[in-house]
Amino acid sequence: MATHTVAPSSSFHPHLYTNITFNHAPSRLDCIFDIIYIIPREAFVDINQLNDLKISKHVVVLNETDLEAPVEVAVRGGNVVAIRYEADDYLMLLGQQISIDLPLHMRYQKPDSMWTHQTVTIPTPKVGWTCLIDPPQKSSSSIPPLPTIDFHLERDSRTTFDEIESTAVGNMTVSVPVGRTDDIYTVQTGTFVTVTLGSLWIAYSLYRAVVKRKRTEAKGKRRKSE
């Protein structure tokens, strides 16, 4: 049984939470346990951040790699995040619950003249067992080589994917703030005024620093002359 939810519901940096209870092991040792996240083009994950989380020793991120691209430039269609648990992993987890916190980052949306927010739907992850159609002749405690991590997405003829019950609990959408085209002149004016005032303040501070230094140097020279 697996449950999923996304929180907070309005943020540029929501998290996708997955809770899985390992109630039983597969009947064959050539199977592996996979969690597949389909991330839409409006969002992305940072592989470096996933490495720091140490979710599993087998984590793969596919597709979109441009982390800073706005949504209209991210034409590849988001990410596929695959988390894999092999036999030695899930046999140790039987009867236990694992929790996965997958951090998401929402891309900047195209400005709109009417809406202040856009709703992005996060698909429910796929969770289940991947097994070879033709198991190895000799039994082994280790898992034989399997196709690439996106095997069942490509409908690989060598494997089957037995999906377990996976339920979305609560919210699976994210409300993303959107800039308003009607506010462009206000933003431009405010930016110009802020930059101008900041530049004047820096110039004034430099002037005061130079004057103060000259006064200090002048006092030092007078003391030496006395």
Side-chain angles (χ1 to χ4, degrees):
M1 175 68 179
T3 59
H4 315 274
T5 188
V6 176
S9 60
S10 180
S11 174
F12 270 112
H13 305 284
H15 290 245
L16 203 169
Y17 298 100
T18 296
N19 293 293
I20 303 171
T21 302
F22 284 83
N23 292 322
H24 65 278
S27 58
R28 290 164 41 189
L29 289 176
D30 60 298
C31 297
I32 53 179
F33 191 81
D34 284 314
I35 309 164
I36 309 296
Y37 296 91
I38 310 298
I39 311 300
R41 64 192 296 262
E42 293 88 354
F44 66 90
V45 296
D46 186 345
I47 183 60
N48 298 313
Q49 193 173 15
L50 298 187
N51 290 336
D52 294 338
L53 294 176
K54 297 180 180 179
I55 297 173
S56 169
K57 60 184 178 182
H58 301 289
V59 180
V60 174
V61 178
L62 305 172
N63 296 343
E64 188 62 58
T65 58
D66 190 347
L67 304 185
E68 299 300 329
V71 65
E72 63 267 21
V73 178
V75 296
R76 293 178 121 186
N79 295 125
V80 175
V81 180
I83 300 175
R84 170 169 289 182
Y85 291 89
E86 295 185 352
D88 293 340
D89 299 318
Y90 58 69
L91 288 177
M92 294 177 61
L93 293 170
L94 283 178
Q96 301 183 35
Q97 184 182 79
I98 63 170
S99 297
I100 298 174
D101 177 358
L102 185 69
L104 303 178
H105 304 276
M106 309 307 295
R107 297 188 183 277
Y108 291 111
Q109 302 281 321
K110 185 177 181 180
D112 195 275
S113 60
M114 296 180 59
W115 310 108
T116 59
H117 291 75
Q118 291 285 357
T119 300
V120 176
T121 300
I122 308 297
T124 302
K126 298 177 180 292
V127 181
W129 301 99
T130 300
C131 301
L132 291 169
I133 293 177
D134 296 320
Q137 298 298 321
K138 296 181 180 180
S139 61
S140 173
S141 59
S142 62
I143 297 178
L146 288 174
T148 54
I149 198 77
D150 55 341
F151 44 85
H152 73 272
L153 297 177
E154 301 295 334
R155 297 185 180 180
D156 194 293
S157 60
R158 293 170 291 175
T159 63
T160 60
F161 184 68
D162 184 14
E163 191 168 356
I164 69 172
E165 183 180 356
S166 192
T167 306
V169 178
N171 183 59
M172 289 295 286
T173 61
V174 180
S175 180
V176 184
V178 176
R180 288 176 53 86
T181 53
D182 294 342
D183 297 333
I184 186 170
Y185 296 110
T186 302
V187 173
Q188 288 177 341
T189 302
T191 302
F192 175 78
V193 171
T194 302
V195 171
T196 301
L197 292 176
S199 300
L200 291 174
W201 175 254
I202 292 173
Y204 176 68
S205 299
L206 289 173
Y207 170 76
R208 288 186 60 187
V210 170
V211 171
K212 185 177 180 180
R213 181 174 180 179
K214 287 183 177 181
R215 289 176 179 175
T216 302
E217 291 177 349
K219 290 181 180 179
K221 290 180 180 180
R222 286 198 297 267
R223 288 175 182 175
K224 289 181 180 180
S225 62
E226 294 176 354

